[in-house]
């Protein structure tokens, strides 16, 4: 996440100085060499294809789920996707069913049928309920086989189902993913029910927290739900004090394993380098075992921009497997910085993928740091392959590309995407800090394009950004269920520069709208098909008057509409 990673000395198996970013040479003395690593666009098919996919609604399941989760009607279920496509995406096979509009899908484990039912073609997350009584909890994942049949046609797919035993004594809590939406389910006390969590917060300077623990209480009051302390954590006493205070005030922990201090000479402690924790199995094991008893732990964070630094392609997957063996009760996350560089390989190692598209203030076509142009094959402008100068369009493109690649890889029932707004500047590629309104634009664009978490780099930040981020966080406290409830429906609209997300749950519709441009604009709620009593929840330079929203430049609004 840290912008200065580009010039740090990196430590892995050997000491090397990074001369590329996203596989591209960026120094003026270096030649232009195509980086490779681009995501393969699926080949087109001349005939229709069916890609049968399936996976559990909740991961992992626990014995306490034998009744229900959050009172939902179908939490204990296998979700089935049956898209008909003309792209040769993962798992797609030719289908010829002129008189059939559905499949009979049977889900089995080790030859024993778990559930079955009729699933329409082109269904998305169709739920087939089952009983956990058919399984015994275990650490190892079950492999489920989903078989779809109709009129002589048959196709199969497999997926993991995780059903764990109740928390062992060395695990302080559990975080589950609700794959009906991608939302996290967690709790700060084992005696409380699981709640839907919308993570919003900052990567936060560790020394800043150590110097003043009262900051954590302020963050809680400001509406933030998660804190992501930035390593290194060489003072374990101070780390324990910070985590104790987070638990006391009720903040979730996103634990970072990007760096640890590597002493060069023990006789000279001031001489040291930072090494990548996540690629050191001993360090990962020690840190996971140290932290996993914390009830506030929400998720693990391993690789920080591994695509930028061209880490070994299997590094994230190897670490993911190790963490799963040590703590299968929490998901794993990482952030990718590159627009298109070995996406699949690095993404293998996470349940939650984050993108950090930083495009506020920097020149996207000519590098102020290196004095070179930036293209798809060369250069580093602080925002890889970004083109929307003085705009925010690259954030929406990056979110959409992540979603498309996840779909093409058949991961839509396995992974979720979060967004990382820029809250820094006045250095390196970025000559200025975003305004508070620009911060909110970044956050809402990310949410409107599928983001289920907003964790910004970095804090401390400007008072303007902190106030605006707090306003967004407090608004999300009010509206999070509209985004995370499995019963909601979602529609995205783009009207000129205004990006709009609409979530409908029952008779209420949540509208999150943001002006991505630097001119004022009006939006009538009727233009997005919303009618009823409108209540404004967030005004970040966008005012609701009657049924019209007046947007200032880079203004945003969050509005709840109750149908008449």
């Amino acid at each position: 996440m840290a912008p200065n990673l580009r010039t740090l000395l990196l430590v892995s198996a050997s000491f090397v100085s990074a001369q590329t970013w996203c596989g591209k040479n960026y120094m003026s003395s270096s030649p232009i060499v195509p980086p490779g690593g681009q995501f393969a666009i699926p080949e087109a098919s001349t005939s229709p294809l069916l890609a049968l996919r399936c996976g559990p609604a909740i991961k992992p399941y626990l014995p306490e789920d034998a009744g229900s989760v959050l009172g939902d009607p179908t939490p204990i279920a296998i979700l089935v996707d049956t898209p008909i496509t003309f792209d040769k995406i993962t798992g797609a096979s030719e289908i010829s069913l002129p008189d059939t509009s559905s499949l009979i899908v049977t889900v089995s484990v080790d030859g024993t049928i778990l559930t079955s039912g009729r699933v329409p073609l082109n269904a998305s997350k169709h739920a087939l309920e089952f009983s956990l009584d058919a399984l015994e909890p275990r650490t190892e994942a079950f492999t489920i086989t989903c078989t779809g049949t109709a009129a002589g046609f048959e196709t199969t797919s497999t997926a993991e189902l995780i059903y764990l035993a109740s928390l062992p004594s060395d695990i302080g809590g559990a975080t589950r993913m609700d794959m009906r939406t991608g939302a996290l389910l967690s709790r700060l006390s084992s005696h409380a029910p699981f709640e839907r969590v919308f993570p919003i917060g900052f990567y936060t300077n560790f020394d800043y927290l150590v110097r003043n623990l009262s900051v954590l209480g302020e963050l809680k009051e400001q509406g933030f739900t998660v804190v992501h302390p930035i390593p290194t954590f060489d003072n374990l006493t101070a780390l324990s004090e910070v985590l104790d205070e987070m638990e006391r005030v009720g903040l979730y922990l996103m634990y970072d394993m990007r760096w640890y201090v590597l002493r060069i000479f023990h006789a000279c402690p001031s001489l040291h380098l930072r090494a990548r924790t996540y690629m050191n199995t001993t360090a990962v094991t020690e840190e996971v075992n140290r932290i996993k008893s914390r009830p506030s732990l929400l998720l693990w964070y391993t690789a920080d921009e591994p695509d930028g630094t061209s880490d070994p392609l299997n590094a994230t997957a190897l670490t993911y497997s190790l963490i799963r063996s040590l703590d299968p009760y929490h998901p794993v996350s990482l952030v990718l910085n590159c627009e298109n560089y070995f996406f699949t390989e690095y993404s293998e190692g996470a349940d939650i993928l984050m993108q950090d598209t930083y495009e506020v203030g920097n020149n996207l076509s000519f590098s102020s740091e290196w004095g070179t142009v930036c293209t798809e094959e060369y250069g580093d402008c602080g925002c890889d392959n970004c083109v929307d100068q003085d705009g925010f369009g690259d954030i929406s493109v990056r979110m959409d590309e992540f979603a498309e690649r996840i779909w093409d890889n058949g991961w839509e029932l396995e992974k979720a995407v979060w967004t990382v707004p820029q809250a820094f500047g006045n250095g390196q590629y970025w000559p200025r800090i975003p305004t508070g309104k620009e911060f909110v634009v970044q956050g809402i664009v990310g949410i409107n394009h599928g983001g289920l978490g907003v964790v910004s780099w970095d804090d401390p930040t400007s008072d303007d950004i902190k106030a605006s981020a707090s306003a967004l966080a407090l608004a999300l406290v009010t509206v999070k269920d509209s985004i995370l409830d499995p019963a909601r429906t979602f529609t995205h609209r783009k009207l000129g520069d205004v990006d709009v997300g609409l979530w409908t749950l029952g008779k209420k519709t949540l509208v999150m709208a943001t002006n991505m441009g630097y001119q004022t604009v009006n939006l009538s709620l009727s233009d997005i098909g919303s009618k009823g009593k409108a209540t404004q929840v967030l005004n970040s330079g966008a005012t609701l008057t009657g049924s019209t929203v007046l947007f200032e430049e880079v203004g945003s609004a969050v509005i709840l509409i109750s149908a008449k």
Side-chain angles (χ1 to χ4, degrees), residues 83-306:
I84 302 297
T85 177
F86 283 84
D87 294 323
K88 295 181 180 180
I89 59 177
T90 298
S93 57
E94 287 193 20
I95 184 172
S96 178
L97 300 173
D99 300 320
T100 303
S101 60
S102 63
L103 297 175
I104 298 297
V105 176
T106 301
V107 183
S108 60
V109 175
D110 297 330
T112 300
I113 294 177
L114 198 60
T115 184
S116 64
R118 187 173 293 275
V119 180
L121 295 180
N122 273 324
S124 176
K125 299 183 179 180
H126 184 94
L128 296 178
E129 297 182 57
F130 72 99
S131 172
L132 288 172
D133 292 339
L135 304 172
E136 287 292 329
R138 68 185 196 188
T139 302
E140 180 187 0
F142 293 92
T143 297
I144 59 173
T145 300
C146 301
T147 304
T149 59
F153 173 85
E154 181 174 300
T155 184
T156 63
S157 66
T158 60
E160 283 191 348
L161 186 154
I162 303 174
Y163 181 30
L164 300 174
S166 298
L167 295 180
S169 60
D170 62 343
I171 300 286
T175 298
R176 283 97 72 65
M177 294 181 70
D178 185 343
M179 297 316 302
R180 294 169 296 178
T181 62
L184 296 187
L185 308 174
S186 196
R187 57 190 177 190
L188 290 164
S189 168
S190 60
H191 303 294
F194 281 91
E195 64 172 349
R196 299 185 184 101
V197 179
F198 195 107
I200 179 168
F202 290 86
Y203 293 77
T204 306
N205 182 282
F206 180 58
D207 290 337
Y208 168 65
L209 297 174
V210 170
R211 288 194 301 268
N212 187 0
L213 291 177
S214 66
V215 167
L216 293 164
E218 295 171 5
L219 292 172
K220 176 67 175 180
E221 292 177 0
Q222 290 169 328
F224 301 108
T225 56
V226 66
V227 174
H228 182 140
I230 303 169
T232 60
F233 308 129
D234 44 327
N235 186 335
L236 295 182
T237 299
L239 175 62
S240 182
E241 291 173 351
V242 168
L243 301 187
D244 287 345
E245 182 65 9
M246 287 179 60
E247 290 171 11
R248 189 188 71 80
V249 302
L251 285 168
Y252 285 105
L253 168 66
M254 188 171 183
Y255 187 80
D256 191 319
M257 287 183 279
R258 76 178 70 199
W259 298 116
Y260 68 96
V261 174
L262 179 65
R263 305 294 180 188
I264 304 302
F265 300 108
H266 289 286
C268 184
S270 62
L271 183 59
H272 63 270
L273 293 170
R274 294 191 298 176
R276 286 194 178 277
T277 301
Y278 94 92
M279 289 195 289
N280 182 310
T281 57
T282 299
V284 170
T285 300
E286 290 176 353
E287 295 197 24
V288 170
N289 286 336
R290 180 185 302 127
I291 299 299
K292 67 184 183 181
S293 62
R294 291 281 179 176
S296 61
L297 176 63
L298 186 68
L299 72 165
W300 303 105
Y301 178 91
T302 57
D304 189 84
E305 301 178 340

Side-chain angles (χ1 to χ4, degrees), residues 395-472:
I395 298 172
S396 60
V397 168
R398 195 73 57 89
M399 294 294 294
D400 292 347
E401 286 179 339
F402 275 33
E404 290 166 5
R405 294 169 189 167
I406 286 171
W407 174 263
D408 289 345
N409 284 338
W411 291 343
E412 72 272 15
L413 299 177
E414 301 175 23
K415 300 183 188 291
V417 180
W418 293 7
T419 191
V420 182
Q422 175 185 342
F424 64 90
N426 289 344
Q428 292 191 295
Y429 307 88
W430 305 272
R432 70 176 181 88
I433 298 173
T435 66
K437 289 197 301 181
E438 289 173 325
F439 178 92
V440 174
V441 172
Q442 296 175 77
I444 290 182
V445 168
I447 295 170
N448 285 354
H449 289 262
L452 294 167
V454 177
V455 183
S456 172
W457 184 275
D458 62 340
D459 196 23
T461 185
S462 69
D463 291 343
D464 187 23
I465 285 180
K466 184 59 73 68
S468 293
S470 172
L472 177 60

